Amino acid sequence: FYPDEGLLTALGEGEAGRQRETAAAHLDRADLVASALAGLWSAWEESQQEDLSLAAEFTYLFARQVPAPPYEGAYRSGLSAVPPLDLAELAALYGAFGLRVAQTAGERADHLSLELDFLVALLSKQAYAVERGWAGRARIAAMTRARFVRDHLAGWVPQFADRLAAHARLPFYPAAAVLVQCLLDQEPLPGRSRALERP
């Protein structure tokens, strides 16, 4: 979303960065995630030194010229053997887990931030179910998560990142895309899924 003062303040806070690094240390490839996080902070600091503002860069990349649309549907036609994106189906999937796109979001269901929010919700539901010993519910959340990454995010986020790298004038958004891709690479996909464990 648009880089307002709240976002810029949060990015500039050292505590927020330390919390993210602590969380990243628990992932399988903590070294890669830590490197991507460091790259994001470095890119943010470098972007602050430029004459071009992050807000102007956002407008160029995502609102006016739109060389890197943050919508899954913009990339589906270029993916062979992949059906067109049905936004109603995507919204129904969110609804099956008790979620809907807030009217205040002002975005389609296939916006990157909303798809990532759904992934976070599935992770939270899985963790809650594992904590309660609800193996069936945990398995459903894990399988849905793996399929969602495979069928949605994994198919278009790399193309989105490539477009950002090719068109961005500041390093911040390409670095953010690298971090997203690094985190998605942590996700189990069908065929390479991990077994659930109770804490």
Side-chain angles (χ1 to χ4, degrees):
F1 294 113
Y2 190 81
D4 60 14
E5 278 306 309
L7 170 66
L8 299 179
T9 301
L11 286 171
E13 290 175 354
E15 181 58 28
R18 282 190 289 279
Q19 288 175 358
R20 289 181 186 93
E21 287 173 8
T22 299
H26 296 284
L27 298 172
D28 287 345
R29 294 302 312 273
D31 54 335
L32 295 178
V33 177
S35 176
L37 272 171
L40 179 62
W41 306 139
S42 175
W44 181 75
E45 288 174 354
E46 185 180 332
S47 295
Q48 298 306 297
Q49 306 305 315
E50 300 290 334
D51 291 333
L52 183 66
S53 73
L54 207 54
E57 178 76 332
F58 176 93
T59 301
Y60 163 70
L61 289 170
F62 311 122
R64 288 218 179 107
Q65 308 292 340
V66 197
Y71 301 97
E72 179 183 356
Y75 301 88
R76 295 287 277 204
S77 62
L79 301 173
S80 60
V82 175
L85 182 67
D86 185 332
L87 291 174
E89 253 181 46
L90 190 57
L93 178 61
Y94 297 167
F97 285 86
L99 302 166
R100 66 178 171 80
V101 178
Q103 290 181 345
T104 55
E107 289 295 350
R108 297 182 344 209
D110 66 332
H111 190 281
L112 177 60
S113 63
L114 298 177
E115 290 193 2
L116 292 174
D117 274 351
F118 181 60
L119 191 60
V120 169
L122 290 173
L123 283 162
S124 297
K125 287 178 179 293
Q126 181 182 346
Y128 186 79
V130 168
E131 186 177 278
R132 296 283 184 278
W134 300 337
R137 291 181 184 184
R139 199 168 18 263
I140 289 168
M143 289 185 336
T144 303
R145 192 176 110 219
R147 287 188 185 125
F148 186 75
V149 170
R150 180 196 65 198
D151 296 345
H152 294 279
L153 291 160
W156 72 277
V157 168
Q159 293 178 54
F160 172 65
D162 288 346
R163 286 198 192 178
L164 282 176
H167 295 284
R169 301 166 297 180
L170 294 175
F172 177 76
Y173 287 109
V178 166
L179 176 60
V180 168
Q181 186 62 58
C182 188
L183 291 169
L184 288 177
D185 288 345
Q186 300 279 317
E187 287 297 309
L189 295 178
R192 73 169 196 212
S193 59
R194 303 176 189 127
L196 291 173
E197 295 179 355
R198 290 189 183 179

